[in-house]
Amino acid sequence: MTDQYNSICILRLSAIGDVCHAVSAVQDIQAAHPHAKITWVIGKVEAMLLSGLPGIEFVVFDKKQGKAAYNQLKACFKGRKFDVLLHMQVALRANLVARCIPAKKKIGFDKHRSKELHSLFINKRIQAQSEPHVLEGFQNFARAIGAKCGIPSWEMPYSVADESVASQLLCELDKVFVIAPAASKEERNWLPERYAKVAEHAHKQGFSVVLTGGPTTLEQTLADKIVSQACCPILNLVGKTQLKQLLCVLKQAKLVLAPDTGPAHMAVTVQTPVIGLYAHSNPQRTGPYLYLDYVVEVYHNNLFKQKKKTAKQLPWGTRVKGADLMSQISTEQVVTMFDHVVNTERL
């Protein structure tokens, strides 16, 4: 018989892609414990995307506030005690946050995935898994408290107004192909001239090309380079959408091209096919979950070159280092995958 929980706390601060993965597990928990009060301690930016998620109380931890953020958390939870804390992040900052959350039971990762003193802040572990995707790791937290998890689904929070803004931005565009070109680190970005060539190919196939991204200098510079080198019309929305509006743009798109970046996983939550470009991390662990067959990757070749071992012979999640690895992904490979996805999905 499944234990009953009246109060459940989720701890996953960041990043955008990871909290997207976590949403599906949290909604499985809601199905298993419909009467439980669920509180999610989350990062500030991530909360902007997930605010309004039905049945969830969000408590924002703003890391930029330093020690004050921890004190605010302690004050917020003073006099409260959760039945269980699902500690879904092993980073030291998250471990320190866990200290501020009063809970009878604190469930964390298995020993293999524990690091940065994670083991000191939990009193129970999820079951170990063999070569799990990040999303599957979160599912094991849900299973640890009696939830049933199958193929993930998402009910993402966005408003009619958000959808309307996206529709206005994409007004009169047919068959939208979104390129979300920038990852959090520049070395994970593909080359702008190659994005431009794929954009031209998509345009010839009847797609309208749209660039999306945040307001950082890195993202805007990359977008400007793509636009300047492409011989086709491109709508540049980089820095022009809030997160929920971006989610709706991705929802209205037919196909998305992206490296290892948050918008790729946002697109998965609204069931828009994604072509993922991977060189530094294993796409079987961090790729766009429902569309892993559409990944173009050079990770495994580089892993073997650097370590002389395969992914199965190394600690799961081993990263590959190198500033120019993404340049090994050719335009031809991505165009071939684009055509394959268009035919498979009948876009």
Side-chain angles (χ1 to χ4, degrees), residues 37 56 158 186 292:
K37 182 176 182 180
I56 305 295
Y158 52 84
E186 189 170 5
L292 297 179

Side-chain angles (χ1 to χ4, degrees), residues 5 84-90 95 104-129 137-146:
Y5 295 93
V84 62
L85 166 65
L86 302 181
H87 184 359
M88 297 181 172
Q89 191 162 349
V90 297
N95 290 328
K104 299 173 186 177
K105 185 188 298 183
K106 295 190 175 184
I107 303 176
F109 281 98
D110 54 275
K111 288 184 179 180
H112 182 69
R113 283 177 282 185
S114 292
K115 58 182 180 179
E116 300 196 39
L117 306 179
H118 183 71
S119 299
L120 300 179
F121 301 90
I122 60 175
N123 53 30
K124 190 174 180 181
R125 299 180 185 276
I126 63 170
Q127 285 192 347
Q129 296 162 287
F138 294 151
Q139 286 182 325
N140 257 18
F141 279 91
R143 293 187 183 102
I145 59 170

Side-chain angles (χ1 to χ4, degrees), residues 49-274:
L49 174 63
L50 298 189
S51 65
L53 201 66
I56 305 295
E57 172 199 21
F58 285 103
V59 174
V60 175
F61 177 85
D62 184 1
K63 63 183 180 182
K64 292 184 179 179
Q65 294 185 12
K67 290 183 179 180
Y70 295 95
N71 292 331
Q72 289 173 12
L73 207 57
K74 290 177 183 177
C76 178
F77 292 140
K78 187 176 181 179
R80 298 175 65 177
K81 191 160 190 177
F82 296 98
D83 292 334
V84 62
L85 166 65
L86 302 181
H87 184 359
M88 297 181 172
Q89 191 162 349
V90 297
L92 181 58
R93 179 184 292 113
N95 290 328
L96 296 176
V97 167
R99 288 185 61 192
C100 305
I101 301 173
K104 299 173 186 177
K105 185 188 298 183
K106 295 190 175 184
I107 303 176
F109 281 98
D110 54 275
K111 288 184 179 180
H112 182 69
R113 283 177 282 185
S114 292
K115 58 182 180 179
E116 300 196 39
L117 306 179
H118 183 71
S119 299
L120 300 179
F121 301 90
I122 60 175
N123 53 30
K124 190 174 180 181
R125 299 180 185 276
I126 63 170
Q127 285 192 347
Q129 296 162 287
S130 176
E131 302 176 0
H133 190 280
V134 171
L135 183 147
E136 293 164 351
F138 294 151
Q139 286 182 325
N140 257 18
F141 279 91
R143 293 187 183 102
I145 59 170
K148 294 181 180 179
C149 304
I151 297 173
S153 60
W154 294 261
E155 292 182 23
M156 297 294 283
Y158 52 84
S159 67
V160 172
D162 295 322
E163 285 194 294
S164 178
V165 169
S167 296
Q168 290 173 20
L169 291 170
L170 303 177
C171 182
E172 299 182 2
L173 297 185
D174 188 33
K175 289 208 310 185
V176 171
F177 171 50
V178 166
I179 300 176
S184 57
K185 295 182 179 179
E186 189 170 5
E187 67 178 15
R188 296 182 191 172
N189 295 339
W190 203 34
L191 283 65
E193 62 271 21
R194 297 185 189 178
Y195 278 126
K197 289 297 182 183
V198 176
E200 292 170 7
H201 178 76
H203 178 68
K204 290 177 183 176
Q205 305 303 313
F207 287 83
S208 299
V209 183
V210 176
L211 295 181
T212 63
T216 66
T217 301
L218 183 152
E219 291 171 277
Q220 292 181 332
T221 300
L222 179 57
D224 289 342
K225 288 180 179 178
I226 295 169
V227 171
S228 67
Q229 296 185 54
C231 297
C232 68
I234 294 180
L235 175 62
N236 185 359
L237 297 182
V238 172
K240 298 177 182 177
T241 55
Q242 298 174 3
L243 276 172
K244 289 180 184 290
Q245 295 166 357
L246 172 56
L247 181 68
C248 292
V249 167
L250 296 168
K251 182 175 183 288
Q252 294 179 30
K254 295 292 185 182
L255 178 60
V256 173
L257 172 66
D260 188 4
T261 185
H265 305 293
M266 290 169 61
V268 173
T269 69
V270 290
Q271 297 186 316
T272 299
V274 179

Side-chain angles (χ1 to χ4, degrees), residues 296-315:
V296 181
E297 58 91 10
V298 293
Y299 166 80
H300 288 92
N301 283 341
N302 282 290
L303 183 70
F304 192 79
K305 286 179 183 178
Q306 293 185 11
K307 305 292 185 180
K308 306 305 178 187
K309 293 181 179 180
T310 66
K312 291 182 179 295
Q313 295 170 318
L314 290 163

